[in-house]
Amino acid sequence: MICHGTVLKLWLSARYGFNYVLLGEDPFLVRHLFTPQVTYLEKNFGYTSAYYQFLHQDFHDDPTGAQQSLDRDGYTNAVGVVQGINLPPLFSGADAANLELTYRFENQQTDGSDFDGNFNTLGATLYAPLPLWKLRADIGGTISRDLYS
């Protein structure tokens, strides 16, 4: 795409994920995730991504009957942004580092109301290539505020 004589790099993507989780040998959880995303590559700076995620969860009842069903089945709608910032190399002889700043908002609706809520998460991760064997060191953290209905 060309805009005012500069080249813009815009990437569109979509991902689908399926998880079938066992607890011991018994079915525990089936999840479907769909995530469309748009990413804008910013020359000499980094990238900005925005995404939407739909998650459907189907929890299976405790096969032993020891626990009462919690009605956690339901769906989550989430939106998020990721800002990647290019940094100079942190180690001599290594490639450039990258800082990623993230924000995610989730709205979770379940069959029972105990797990309904809105969740906000902020994060930061530093990716630092190391000068040997193409290894990379990562350090990051998140802080969340969970508001159950």
Side-chain angles (χ1 to χ4, degrees), residues 41-105:
L41 300 176
E42 303 169 69
K43 187 176 182 179
N44 300 323
F45 182 74
Y47 56 90
T48 302
S49 290
Y51 65 90
Y52 164 78
Q53 185 173 74
F54 176 80
L55 163 66
H56 181 266
Q57 302 181 114
D58 180 13
F59 287 88
H60 293 267
D61 292 335
D62 181 1
T64 66
Q67 286 190 339
Q68 180 181 1
S69 179
L70 296 174
D71 285 335
R72 295 179 286 178
D73 297 351
Y75 61 89
T76 300
N77 288 288
V79 292
V81 292
V82 179
Q83 178 64 63
I85 302 169
N86 297 335
L87 300 173
L90 299 180
F91 303 101
S92 177
D95 291 335
N98 178 265
L99 175 65
E100 210 171 67
L101 305 173
T102 61
Y103 171 74
R104 178 180 171 98
F105 171 79

Side-chain angles (χ1 to χ4, degrees), residues 3-149:
C3 178
H4 303 293
T6 61
V7 176
L8 301 178
K9 295 193 177 185
L10 195 62
W11 294 88
L12 302 174
S13 63
R15 295 184 308 271
Y16 170 77
F18 172 79
N19 303 116
Y20 183 79
V21 181
L22 298 175
L23 184 59
E25 295 179 10
D26 299 310
F28 176 67
L29 171 63
V30 175
R31 295 190 323 168
H32 298 271
L33 294 98
F34 176 68
T35 310
Q37 180 172 335
V38 60
T39 301
Y40 173 64
L41 300 176
E42 303 169 69
K43 187 176 182 179
N44 300 323
F45 182 74
Y47 56 90
T48 302
S49 290
Y51 65 90
Y52 164 78
Q53 185 173 74
F54 176 80
L55 163 66
H56 181 266
Q57 302 181 114
D58 180 13
F59 287 88
H60 293 267
D61 292 335
D62 181 1
T64 66
Q67 286 190 339
Q68 180 181 1
S69 179
L70 296 174
D71 285 335
R72 295 179 286 178
D73 297 351
Y75 61 89
T76 300
N77 288 288
V79 292
V81 292
V82 179
Q83 178 64 63
I85 302 169
N86 297 335
L87 300 173
L90 299 180
F91 303 101
S92 177
D95 291 335
N98 178 265
L99 175 65
E100 210 171 67
L101 305 173
T102 61
Y103 171 74
R104 178 180 171 98
F105 171 79
E106 298 178 44
N107 173 263
Q108 181 171 280
Q109 300 294 316
T110 58
D111 291 348
S113 62
D114 290 342
F115 295 93
D116 290 352
N118 294 315
F119 314 107
N120 294 277
T121 304
L122 290 171
T125 305
L126 176 65
Y127 302 98
L130 301 174
L132 42 101
W133 301 322
K134 300 222 178 245
L135 295 174
R136 184 180 75 181
D138 305 345
I139 186 167
T142 61
I143 186 166
S144 296
R145 183 165 189 225
D146 299 344
L147 301 170
Y148 288 93
S149 304

